[in-house]
């Protein structure tokens, strides 16, 4: 069982940056693939980024490639999402998730990111 708590969301102007954090409970955090997803009002949930248990080779959704960077610190049971060059269309609730290659089983409560134009 893993519990996830996101933080770092807020209001930022277009072109600005934010860093989201996701703190996980549980001693087996390092075994999980971790992901970030987002959901804007009236839209389906969208994959943003994922990272393997080792932290190598993070992968990204097409809409954020080159702007967002995902990382993890297994010693701190935390994953991060550095978001640069933010656009109004990045506005959404961002969720952290834990799972495996078969899918994500555990989800956080989400943190709101709002990008003003």
């Amino acid at each position: 069982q893993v519990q996830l708590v996101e933080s770092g969301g807020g209001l930022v102007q277009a072109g600005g940056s934010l860093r989201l954090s996701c703190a996980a409970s549980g001693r087996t955090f390092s075994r999980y693939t971790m992901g970030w997803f987002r959901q804007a009002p009236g839209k389906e949930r969208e994959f943003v980024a994922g990272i393997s248990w080792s932290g190598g080779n993070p992968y990204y959704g097409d809409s954020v490639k080159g702007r967002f960077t995902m990382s993890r610190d297994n010693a701190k049971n935390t994953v991060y999402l550095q978001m640069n060059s933010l656009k109004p269309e990045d506005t959404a609730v961002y969720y952290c998730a834990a799972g495996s290659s078969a899918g994500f089983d555990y989800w956080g409560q989400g943190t709101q990111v709002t990008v003003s134009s």
Side-chain angles (χ1 to χ4, degrees):
Q1 188 81 3
V2 177
Q3 292 185 325
L4 306 170
V5 179
E6 302 96 335
S7 61
L11 174 64
V12 65
Q13 288 188 333
S17 298
L18 281 174
R19 188 175 83 153
L20 305 183
S21 299
C22 173
S25 65
R27 293 177 293 175
T28 59
F29 169 78
S30 63
R31 299 179 185 178
Y32 288 97
T33 294
M34 300 297 295
W36 285 99
F37 293 78
R38 67 187 183 186
Q39 188 165 21
K43 294 188 177 181
E44 293 187 353
R45 185 171 61 196
E46 175 188 14
F47 170 77
V48 174
I51 195 166
S52 67
W53 66 271
S54 67
N57 298 321
Y59 44 100
Y60 302 94
D62 288 341
S63 61
V64 306
K65 281 180 182 176
R67 299 187 298 122
F68 290 11
T69 302
M70 185 175 183
S71 61
R72 70 188 296 163
D73 186 339
N74 286 341
K76 295 182 178 179
N77 279 14
T78 302
V79 292
Y80 305 96
L81 185 68
Q82 178 67 42
M83 306 186 296
N84 299 329
S85 302
L86 283 161
K87 306 174 181 180
E89 50 264 43
D90 294 318
T91 295
V93 177
Y94 283 70
Y95 297 92
C96 174
S100 68
S101 58
F104 292 94
D105 303 308
Y106 303 101
W107 296 82
Q109 83 289 349
T111 185
Q112 176 71 46
V113 171
T114 303
V115 184
S116 63
S117 57

